[in-house]
Amino acid sequence: MPDTPECDLREKLIGFGEKSIHKSYFPQLYKRLEELELFHALLDRANDPIFLVDTNSDVVIEANQAAYNLFGLNKVERAWKSFMDLFGNARQAPGREGPGGMAEGETREVSHVSPSGQRVYFELTLSTMTISGLRYTVGVARDITARKQAEEALREREQQLRTLFETAPVGIYVSTGEGRYLASNPANAAIHGYAGPEELLGQVTDMARDVYVDPEQRQILLRRLRREGEVKNFECLRKKKDGSPIWVSTSARLSRDPKTGQEIINGFSIDFTERRQAEQETREAKDFLYRIVDSIGDPIFVKDDTHRHVLVNNALCAIIGRPREAILGHTDYDFFPREEVDGFWQFDNAVLATGAENVTEEELTGLSGKKHTIVTKKTRYVDVLGKRYVVGVIRDITERKQAERELEASEEKFRSIVESSPTAMYFYRLEADGRLVLTGANPAADSTMGFAHQPLLGKTLEEIFPHLARTHVPELYRKVARGEIGAQSYQGVHQDERATAFQDVHVFRTGPAAITVDILDITERVRLQEMMLQSEKMASVGGLAAGMAHEINNPLSSILQGAQVSLMQLAPDVPANKAAAEECGCPIEAVRCYLEKRRVIKFLEGIQEAGRRAAQIVSSMLEFSRKSESRRAMADINEILDKSVELASTDYDLKKKYDFRHIAIIREYDPGLPEVSCTRTEIEQVILNLLKNAAQAMAEQPPPEGGPAIVLRTLRADDSVRIEVSDNGPGMTEAVRRRIFEPFFTTKEPGQGTGLGLSVSYFIITANHGGTISVESEPGQGARFIIDLPLGERK
Amino acid sequence: MSGQTPSVLVIDDEEMIRESLQVFLEADGWAVAAAASAEEALEMLAAGTFDVAIVDIRLPGISGRDFVLRAHAERPELRFLIFTGSTAFRLDAELAQAGMSAGDIFAKPLDDLRVLAEAARRVVA
C-alpha cells in the first residue's frame, strides 16, 4: 500500500468501484471515507454477524468482521444463502410479506453448523433499506445459541417437573388457607376419588367440608402450619368423592403470596389407608398374640440378649408381682434374689449361645416372698436382623410339687400303715380273663400265713390257697373287684397240715379291678373267748360243786360212819357185842345169822360202798376249788409226759378196755424246752387223763388208717410251754367240744366215767397252774388238746 | 392222861356222826365224852380232863376253831384233832400255836374211822 493519503484514498475509492475522481472532491471524499470507516468500524465492533445484501441480486455486498470470523472469509456468501433457505422454510408459515418477499423487520431463527461441527443458533432479523435507488437487505444474525440452550434446558427441566408432577404417586397440591385448591396433580385427585385435577378443583370448594371426615382436623393442620410453618406426616381420616374414608398423611408448608398476602399451602398427600390397614392388622395380630399369650396360664417371657424382658404375659406379671410396664425393659435382678438370677442367666446364656433348648427345674422367690418351684423351658429365637432372644415358658409346679410331697408323705404314711399293720394284707388284681393275681402283700401276711408271698407274686388266688377253689370265696372276690358289691367281711377258717386258724377276712376294692384282702388271725381271740367262756362256766360250776360237796360231806360222813359202826356193832368177835346180844336173850351168832340171812349185812356193806363212791366223787369235785401250791417245783415237762405214758400203759382200768401198747405213741418233744414250775403229780394226772380219753375214744371206733396213734408234742411258745396231745380218733362234734370240760359231762356209756376227768384237768391247769387248756377237733379229724403252762412265776 | 384209858372228847353237832364216832372210839378202847356244841364241850372240859378232843369246825355258836384256841388256853395239855366237812379248812398260825399240825386235820367223810383213832392215839402218845 502507498503511504500518501491520495494514494490510500484512491485505492480505497477504487475499492468502492470508483474509476476516477477529481481531486476537488477529495475533501468530500475524505469525509465520506471517514464516515465509511466509522461505519465499518461500527459494524465490525458488533458481535453479531451483519450482512448487507443487494436485494435484487441477493448478493452479499458487505459483511462485518463477526460474520467473517464466524463463517470464514470465503464462506459468508454461502452462509447467507443457507440462512435464507432456512429463513424461507421458516417463512412458509403464514407471515407478513415484506418488499421482495421479505417481511420488514422480520425475525427468524436459523442455525448454522460451524466448521467445528457445532450447531450455532441465530436469530436473524432482516430489514431493507434503499440507498440511491438501490434496495439493500440488511441481515443481523444474533447468536442465540447460549440463550437457546438455556431455554432448552429450562424447557426440559420444566417438562421433567411437569412429568413428575403429573405422574408422581403422591398427591401434590396447592391450596389456599380458606380451603380452595389452586392446583392438584392427578394423584392428589385420584387419592380423593376424583377423575382428575380439573374435577377436584372444580368440585372441591371447601376442603374442610369436602375432603375431611372431621372438618376440625383441617383446622388443627392449619393451626399447626400457622404456628410452625411446616407440618410433616399429619395423619387424618379424609373422605373421597363418594364419601368413603381414606387415611391421608399430609406434609405441607405454608407461605404467603408476596403480592396479595394470601395464605398458600403447598402440600403432599399420601394415601396410607392400606398401610394403616396393614398396621391395624399388625396391631391386631400383635394384640391377638398378646391375648393368647396372656390367656396362657403358664408364665411366658422373652428376653433379649442383655436379659431384658421384651415380652411378658399376665401370668409372668403375676408370678413376679409387678405390672407389665414395670417388667418390660428390666432384668430379673430387679425382681428376684441375686443367687436365683445367677442361675437363670447361666441357662439364658447357654441358650443364647447354642440355641439348644433347656428345661430346668428351679426355685423362684416372688416379690411377695412366696417360693415357687418352677420348670422353665427356654428356647432361642433369632429375628430377621439376627438379634437373639431367649423365649421362656415357665410351669409353676409349686402346687403340684406340694401335692406330690403331700402325696409322698401320705403314701409313705399309708405304706407304713400297711407295712406295720398286724393284719395280713394281700393285694390282688383282677385280670381280663377273670383270674385274681397276687400283686403284693404286707409283712404281716407272711408271718400270719406262715409263708413268704414274694415267690407267689403273679400267681392266682386259687393257686396260692387251693382250698378256696371249691368255695364261693374267689367269686366273691371277683364281684368286689368288679365293683358289683361293696366291701365284704366274713369269718373264715384256714386249715393247713399244722393248725386250724380262725380269720376275720375283710375284702375291699382299692381300685378298678384291684382288691385288698385283709386277714386278721383271730385264732387266739377265738380260743381266748372260748376259754373265758369256759373259765366263767367252770368257775361257777366249780363253786357250785365245792358248795355242794361241803353240804354232802356231813350226811356222807353220817352214812359212812353209821354203816361202819353198824357193821362193827354186829361183829361177833367183839365182847361188847356178845354181851349186849346175851342181854337181849339172843346170842350174837344168832343175830348175825339172822342179819346175814335177811341180807342186812350185805345192804349195810352196800351202803358203805356206795357212800365211799359218793365220797370219791365229792372228793374229785373238791379238786375244782382246791388250790394247793405246796408241791410246786421246777419240772421237765417232757419227762412228765414220759411218766404219764408209763402210767397209762400200766393202768389196769385202761388195760381192761384197750391195750395201750397197740397205740403208737409219737413223741415230738422240743429238746430245749425250759422247765416249768408245776405240781408234777397234777400234771401227770392231767396227761394221764388225756391219754386215757384218747385211748378210750379210739377203742370205740374202728382203728383209723395207719393204726391208732397219739402225738405228744411240746414246744416253747412266747412265755409259756405248750403241750399238745393229739389223737387220730373219731374226733368230736362242735357241741361236744364246747362242753367237754364241764363237770359230769360225758359221752361214755353210763358207769364208764364220771365226767369229771377233764373238769379236774381243767381246774388243775387253769386254777392251780394259771395255764390254759383247750381242744381242737372235728368229727373224723381226731382231737388235739392244747395245754399252755406259763413260764413265769405265778403270782 | 387219866390212868391207862385214854379219854377223848368228841364235839360235833350232827348226832349220827357224834354218836357213831363215840361208839367206835369206845370200842377202840377210849373213854369217850361227847358234846353237841363248843359251849357244852367247854363246860365238860371245866368239869373233867381229856387227853384229846376231836372237833368239828362248823358248830352252832362258838366255832370249832375258837373252841380249840380257848380250850388250849385253859388246858394246854389237851391235844386236838379236827374232823370237818369243810374242805377249805386249813391249818393256820394260831392253831399251830395251839400245837396242831396239818396231819391233825381230817376231812369228812372218812372211809374208815380207824384213821381217826390212830391219829388220836398218835397225838396222845
Side-chain angles (χ1 to χ4, degrees):
Chain A
M1 282 282 164
D3 300 322
T4 61
E6 292 86 8
C7 186
D8 281 352
L9 183 66
R10 191 179 290 265
E11 279 176 16
K12 280 176 182 167
L13 287 172
I14 289 167
F16 277 114
E18 295 282 337
K19 287 170 171 98
S20 64
I21 295 165
H22 192 270
K23 255 178 146 170
S24 59
Y25 294 104
F26 274 20
Q28 198 182 345
L29 282 173
Y30 272 115
K31 181 130 172 91
R32 279 188 60 198
L33 265 175
E34 268 179 35
E35 283 172 6
L36 265 174
E37 291 214 349
L38 270 170
F39 174 69
H40 274 286
L42 193 68
L43 279 178
D44 287 345
R45 297 278 172 133
N47 280 327
D48 296 334
I50 297 168
F51 301 89
L52 181 66
V53 181
D54 176 14
T55 308
N56 288 330
S57 60
D58 211 13
V59 170
V60 176
I61 297 166
E62 193 65 85
N64 69 348
Q65 191 63 41
Y68 289 112
N69 287 349
L70 194 65
F71 303 117
L73 205 54
N74 304 319
K75 291 176 182 161
V76 169
E77 186 71 32
R78 195 187 302 164
W80 175 252
K81 291 272 191 259
S82 152
F83 279 178
M84 284 295 88
D85 287 348
L86 286 168
F87 201 96
N89 288 341
R91 275 186 64 202
Q92 278 176 354
R96 289 173 297 153
E97 283 293 317
M102 287 281 178
E104 180 63 30
E106 200 170 352
T107 304
R108 288 284 184 271
E109 231 180 70
V110 293
S111 65
H112 169 82
V113 179
S114 72
S116 63
Q118 205 167 2
R119 185 173 286 274
V120 184
Y121 291 92
F122 298 96
E123 199 176 67
L124 181 63
T125 304
L126 296 183
S127 54
T128 55
M129 59 186 182
T130 305
I131 302 171
S132 311
L134 286 173
R135 277 169 60 96
Y136 298 94
T137 302
V138 178
V140 180
R142 188 181 305 152
D143 186 345
I144 57 164
T145 305
R147 199 192 80 199
K148 184 88 177 156
Q149 279 173 344
E151 273 177 8
E152 191 67 28
L154 193 69
R155 196 166 45 250
E156 262 175 43
R157 196 153 58 246
E158 205 180 84
Q159 187 57 45
Q160 280 169 354
L161 283 173
R162 178 138 296 276
T163 308
L164 259 176
F165 182 74
E166 296 293 332
T167 60
V170 298
I172 304 170
Y173 69 92
V174 182
S175 69
T176 64
E178 294 84 55
R180 206 161 34 77
Y181 277 115
L182 297 177
S184 166
N185 70 342
N188 188 52
I191 284 170
H192 292 91
Y194 293 87
E198 292 77 15
E199 194 184 27
L200 178 74
L201 265 57
Q203 295 193 8
V204 176
T205 52
D206 180 352
M207 288 169 69
R209 181 194 66 204
D210 296 336
V211 297
Y212 282 85
V213 168
D214 174 12
E216 176 61 20
Q217 288 293 322
R218 184 158 195 275
Q219 296 310 313
I220 293 169
L221 174 65
L222 266 182
R223 279 199 291 275
R224 280 185 60 187
L225 280 170
R226 283 169 188 152
R227 193 168 60 240
E228 298 158 23
E230 186 177 359
V231 170
K232 282 186 175 163
N233 298 324
F234 179 82
E235 296 180 352
C236 73
L237 197 59
R238 302 245 188 129
K239 64 183 172 194
K240 293 170 91 165
K241 183 185 167 192
D242 62 7
S244 58
I246 43 165
W247 282 95
V248 173
S249 170
T250 303
S251 294
R253 191 186 281 271
L254 181 74
S255 59
R256 282 182 190 277
D257 188 296
K259 282 174 233 154
T260 62
Q262 192 186 22
E263 284 179 327
I264 302 292
I265 296 158
N266 295 293
F268 299 90
S269 301
I270 297 169
D271 176 3
F272 70 103
T273 308
E274 279 184 24
R275 198 193 79 207
R276 173 97 187 178
Q277 272 166 356
E279 275 177 2
Q280 183 73 20
E281 278 165 18
T282 307
R283 207 165 25 244
E284 276 171 12
K286 221 168 171 176
D287 188 55
F288 181 61
L289 175 75
Y290 259 104
R291 275 168 189 275
I292 290 174
V293 166
D294 274 341
S295 73
I296 295 172
D298 289 341
I300 294 173
F301 61 81
V302 179
K303 296 185 212 172
D304 64 16
D305 53 5
T306 63
H307 305 277
R308 286 181 198 288
H309 287 281
V310 296
L311 185 153
V312 294
N313 69 346
N314 284 347
L316 193 95
C317 298
I319 207 170
I320 290 180
R322 284 281 171 89
R324 193 186 309 272
E325 311 82 71
I327 298 170
L328 293 177
H330 291 265
T331 73
D332 294 334
Y333 282 115
D334 296 328
F335 314 115
F336 304 118
R338 172 157 292 277
E339 56 282 5
E340 286 178 7
V341 179
D342 288 345
F344 300 162
W345 284 27
Q346 203 178 319
F347 294 114
D348 284 1
N349 291 334
V351 170
L352 281 168
T354 65
E357 180 185 300
N358 176 277
V359 179
T360 311
E361 190 176 314
E362 298 162 307
E363 293 295 321
L364 180 147
T365 309
L367 282 180
S368 63
K370 185 174 190 294
K371 294 253 181 213
H372 297 266
T373 305
I374 56 170
V375 173
T376 311
K377 177 180 164 182
K378 287 174 178 169
T379 48
R380 189 176 69 175
Y381 168 72
V382 181
D383 71 9
V384 286
L385 301 174
K387 197 166 155 73
R388 295 169 172 193
Y389 298 88
V390 180
V391 179
V393 180
I394 293 172
R395 166 123 331 151
D396 190 342
I397 58 165
T398 312
E399 285 177 19
R400 201 187 75 199
K401 205 81 179 162
Q402 180 64 21
E404 267 176 20
R405 273 195 287 271
E406 280 168 14
L407 192 69
E408 254 172 49
S410 157
E411 221 176 71
E412 181 58 39
K413 188 169 75 194
F414 285 112
R415 188 172 34 247
S416 75
I417 288 172
V418 168
E419 293 288 309
S420 60
S421 167
T423 65
M425 289 187 188
Y426 286 96
F427 311 113
Y428 296 97
R429 188 181 59 239
L430 180 67
E431 298 290 326
D433 58 9
R435 291 182 308 136
L436 278 167
V437 172
L438 185 70
T439 57
N442 69 350
D446 293 359
S447 57
T448 302
M449 304 307 286
F451 56 82
H453 72 276
Q454 201 65 32
L456 301 172
L457 293 176
K459 293 215 182 302
T460 66
L461 174 71
E462 292 88 339
E463 285 169 335
I464 300 163
F465 300 107
H467 68 279
L468 290 178
R470 305 181 310 274
T471 69
H472 70 290
V473 168
E475 194 45 43
L476 182 79
Y477 287 7
R478 283 185 193 105
K479 279 184 180 165
V480 173
R482 285 193 289 260
E484 291 170 13
I485 51 174
Q488 299 290 311
S489 299
Y490 63 91
Q491 246 185 35
V493 179
H494 178 77
Q495 221 161 7
D496 60 19
E497 62 282 355
R498 282 218 47 191
T500 304
F502 294 94
Q503 300 167 338
D504 261 350
V505 184
H506 188 60
V507 53
F508 51 96
R509 197 165 185 235
T510 45
I515 53 165
T516 296
V517 179
D518 182 87
I519 301 169
L520 176 62
D521 187 336
I522 53 162
T523 311
E524 283 303 313
R525 202 181 75 199
V526 167
R527 191 166 287 154
L528 208 69
Q529 273 178 348
E530 225 168 65
M531 282 179 180
M532 278 169 69
L533 233 119
Q534 186 86 318
S535 163
E536 227 164 276
K537 188 168 72 184
M538 296 298 273
S540 66
V541 168
L544 183 72
M548 233 172 74
H550 187 81
E551 294 308 321
I552 289 171
N553 274 340
N554 276 318
L556 264 183
S557 201
S558 293
I559 292 167
L560 278 170
Q561 280 176 228
Q564 186 181 5
V565 172
S566 298
L567 286 169
M568 195 181 81
Q569 300 296 64
L570 293 170
D573 49 342
V574 175
N577 293 350
K578 204 172 259 184
E582 295 297 330
E583 275 174 37
C584 297
C586 183
I588 185 71
E589 287 78 14
V591 172
R592 183 86 197 175
C593 179
Y594 170 81
L595 291 174
E596 273 174 15
K597 207 166 199 131
R598 298 306 294 165
R599 292 193 286 178
V600 172
I601 299 295
K602 189 188 171 186
F603 290 137
L604 278 173
E605 282 170 351
I607 289 169
Q608 199 173 27
E609 178 54 34
R612 280 192 186 127
R613 232 178 41 234
Q616 195 67 51
I617 290 167
V618 170
S619 163
S620 289
M621 281 167 65
L622 289 173
E623 296 274 0
F624 302 162
S625 58
R626 202 190 64 191
K627 287 189 171 110
S628 83
E629 292 171 36
S630 53
R631 285 165 289 171
R632 283 168 74 98
M634 298 307 285
D636 179 353
I637 294 296
N638 293 343
E639 222 172 75
I640 290 175
L641 291 184
D642 284 343
K643 179 74 191 302
S644 303
V645 172
E646 197 187 313
L647 282 169
S649 60
T650 57
D651 187 286
Y652 172 73
D653 278 351
L654 198 55
K655 266 185 174 170
K656 272 199 299 195
K657 287 147 193 149
Y658 196 92
D659 194 341
F660 203 71
R661 287 170 303 180
H662 288 163
I663 300 171
I665 303 294
I666 300 157
R667 292 172 173 84
E668 292 180 6
Y669 294 166
D670 178 351
L673 203 65
E675 292 195 330
V676 179
S677 167
C678 64
T679 306
R680 199 185 168 94
T681 51
E682 287 182 349
I683 303 298
E684 280 173 9
Q685 186 190 339
V686 169
I687 304 300
L688 179 62
N689 204 280
L690 294 177
L691 292 171
K692 277 172 153 183
N693 280 345
Q696 281 175 7
M698 288 190 286
E700 288 162 9
Q701 299 282 324
E705 210 179 313
I710 293 174
V711 178
L712 295 171
R713 179 184 291 132
T714 58
L715 52 127
R716 162 100 191 244
D718 288 340
D719 50 1
S720 64
V721 162
R722 176 166 289 193
I723 305 164
E724 290 181 10
V725 180
S726 320
D727 65 53
N728 58 356
M732 63 192 85
T733 63
E734 179 65 13
V736 171
R737 197 185 66 80
R738 283 184 184 285
R739 300 189 59 195
I740 198 157
F741 294 109
E742 285 178 30
F744 308 112
F745 178 82
T746 179
T747 57
K748 294 168 190 165
E749 292 292 313
Q752 292 232 344
T754 57
L756 286 170
L758 281 175
S759 314
V760 170
S761 299
Y762 179 89
F763 284 107
I764 286 170
I765 297 299
T766 58
N768 293 3
H769 289 86
T772 61
I773 179 168
S774 62
V775 64
E776 291 174 356
S777 183
E778 269 180 61
Q781 299 293 314
R784 183 203 308 268
F785 284 86
I786 300 158
I787 297 164
D788 281 316
L789 292 173
L791 275 171
E793 272 301 308
R794 226 180 115 230
K795 286 175 195 159
Chain B
M1 293 284 178
S2 54
Q4 55 268 76
T5 306
S7 60
V8 58
L9 176 60
V10 173
I11 308 150
D12 202 308
D13 61 329
E14 194 129 346
E15 190 183 359
M16 273 297 288
I17 293 173
R18 187 174 68 241
E19 285 191 13
S20 61
L21 192 53
Q22 187 176 6
V23 168
F24 179 84
L25 288 172
E26 278 168 357
D28 195 56
W30 293 81
V32 182
S37 69
E39 291 80 353
E40 191 185 337
L42 285 170
E43 276 174 33
M44 291 166 75
L45 210 54
T49 53
F50 299 92
D51 295 312
V52 60
I54 297 176
V55 188
D56 184 18
I57 290 298
R58 290 217 319 194
L59 291 169
I62 298 171
S63 77
R65 179 176 174 277
D66 288 346
F67 168 81
V68 171
L69 299 180
R70 287 199 199 181
H72 174 69
E74 286 171 26
R75 297 290 174 93
E77 75 283 358
L78 184 64
R79 293 289 166 262
F80 303 96
L81 293 177
I82 287 173
F83 187 41
T84 176
S86 172
T87 50
F89 189 79
R90 297 280 183 280
L91 182 77
D92 59 44
E94 279 181 295
L95 292 176
Q97 203 78 57
M100 293 194 66
S101 67
D104 301 337
I105 297 167
F106 295 88
K108 291 176 184 169
L110 281 172
D111 279 5
D112 193 336
L113 289 173
R114 278 176 290 188
V115 175
L116 204 56
E118 275 164 31
R121 266 194 293 278
R122 172 169 55 79
V123 297
V124 169

